[in-house]
């Protein structure tokens, strides 16, 4: 055979065009050999009872062989259709839940048979070593191109499946957090489609926007970071080791875990988690080093459940302090709260506030002068403790007050009287 002189790119340009004419009459035999060898060596392709699958295998082998010969005849022959075919094969493998390992093995086996038949034919014809080497190189390059097309289709299908699964999981999270709650049947159906086993209990998690991230969430945690408040749902949050797992997954993130509830009550869990997150962002609840759990701050959440109501109660019960300067209000409110919390023991109040007992007694006499018999009524003392606790929680937030500012301020010259002891 004559050596080629055209230059369409190695190795195809080094193949004599007439080589294709010698190959075409033998393509059916080569296809039979390739299919037989593939089915004997690759278990996944040996399906004697599946005629459609065998037909697909033959179609793939024949298309590859004819396309290879067409490219030998014309090095500029486009690979578009055969590449599209192998992308479709890759998508099909992904769709059936298989890897590309079997297909790649089949391609290697098929290439080996093709090379064997080409070598045998070359031995009976005047084929130079250079041409034979170019044929082998072209064969390997052709295999690589087809394998790359299959891998691309496989990746596309996997991405599409992952995207659809993620969309289902987001819809499931929306359904679980809906208020009023969705029907259990609807939740069960969408959970099955999203491959999410329905647990007995869940806890919802509210995340701070600046810290929301997708990485490191375990696969059984439902996540939607695109919501107004990025949210998660953690299944079986009180199970063995689950708390530590959640803490690790949310390390470094501003995250509030709502209370554990039945699945149908996930909306209640997220409501408390969001409320807690809001109080954390306002500074009412301290942002500690780890994950914040709503159940550890229930009394604070109760206090701030209706802030208009607590403000109205404060205006009523703390009215005796309203005419004082802010610094006086702070000292007396702090002292009164400590007195109520310590069982009305002046010495313990002094230790709590780190002041001299005589100073405490002086402030207590001021408070009795201001509040009078209100301090003798257990119900009123309970109200006072509620509003003073709320006031203390807001103390570090400039601009947030629970006692209305005084129109005028007076001095500390109130008449000194003593608290009466109650029985």
């Amino acid at each position: 055979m004559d050596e080629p002189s055209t230059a369409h790119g190695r190795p195809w340009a080094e193949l004599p065009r007439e080589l294709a004419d010698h190959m075409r009459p033998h393509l059916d035999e080569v296809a039979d050999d390739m299919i037989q060898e593939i089915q004997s060596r690759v278990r996944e392709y040996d399906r004697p009872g599946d005629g459609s699958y065998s037909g697909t295998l033959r179609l793939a082998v024949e298309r590859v062989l004819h396309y290879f010969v067409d490219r030998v005849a014309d090095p500029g022959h486009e690979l578009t259709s055969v590449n599209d075919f192998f992308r479709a094969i890759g998508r099909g493998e992904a769709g059936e839940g298989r890897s590309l390992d079997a297909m790649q093995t089949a391609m290697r086996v098929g290439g080996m048979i093709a090379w064997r038949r080409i070598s045998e034919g070359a031995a009976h014809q005047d084929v130079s070593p250079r041409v034979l080497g170019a044929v082998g190189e072209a064969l390997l390059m052709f295999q690589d191109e087809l394998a790359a097309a299959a891998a691309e289709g496989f990746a596309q299908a996997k991405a599409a499946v992952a995207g659809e699964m993620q969309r289902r999981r987001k819809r499931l999270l929306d359904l679980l957090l809906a208020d009023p709650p969705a029907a259990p049947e609807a939740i069960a159906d969408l959970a099955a489609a999203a491959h999410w086993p329905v647990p007995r209990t869940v806890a919802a998690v509210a995340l701070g926007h600046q810290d929301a991230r997708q990485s490191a969430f375990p696969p059984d945690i439902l996540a939607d970071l695109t919501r107004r408040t990025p949210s998660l749902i953690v299944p079986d949050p009180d199970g063995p080791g689950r708390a530590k797992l959640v803490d690790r997954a949310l390390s470094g993130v501003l995250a509030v875990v709502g209370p554990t509830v039945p699945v149908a009550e996930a909306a209640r869990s997220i409501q408390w988690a969001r409320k807690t997150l809001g109080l954390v962002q306002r500074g009412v609840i301290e942002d500690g080093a780890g994950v914040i759990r709503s159940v550890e701050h229930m009394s604070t959440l109760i206090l701030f459940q209706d802030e208009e109501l607590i403000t109205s109660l404060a205006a009523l019960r703390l009215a005796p302090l309203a005419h004082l300067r802010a610094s006086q209000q702070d000292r007396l409110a702090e002292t009164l709260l400590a007195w109520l919390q310590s069982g009305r023991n002046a010495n313990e109040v002094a230790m709590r506030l780190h002041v001299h007992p005589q100073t405490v007694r002086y402030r207590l006499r001021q408070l009795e002068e201001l509040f009078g018999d209100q301090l003798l009524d257990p119900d009123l003392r309970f109200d006072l403790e509620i509003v003073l606790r709320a006031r203390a929680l807001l103390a570090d937030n400039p601009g947030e007050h629970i006692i209305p500012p005084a129109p005028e301020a007076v001095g500390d010259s109130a008449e000194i009287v003593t608290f009466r002891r109650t029985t």
Side-chain angles (χ1 to χ4, degrees), residues 192-210:
H195 297 175
W196 191 73
V198 179
R200 187 177 59 85
T201 60
V202 296
V205 181
L207 304 177
H209 276 283
Q210 71 276 18

Side-chain angles (χ1 to χ4, degrees), residues 194-255:
H195 297 175
W196 191 73
V198 179
R200 187 177 59 85
T201 60
V202 296
V205 181
L207 304 177
H209 276 283
Q210 71 276 18
D211 296 311
R213 57 186 173 88
Q214 184 71 44
S215 60
F217 294 154
D220 64 341
I221 290 181
L222 299 178
D224 185 357
L225 305 186
T226 64
R227 299 171 69 89
R228 183 176 179 180
T229 299
S231 305
L232 312 174
I233 287 184
V234 180
D236 189 25
D238 299 329
R242 296 293 287 175
K244 289 184 178 179
L245 182 146
V246 171
D247 288 350
R248 283 196 302 271
L250 299 175
S251 176
V253 177
L254 175 56

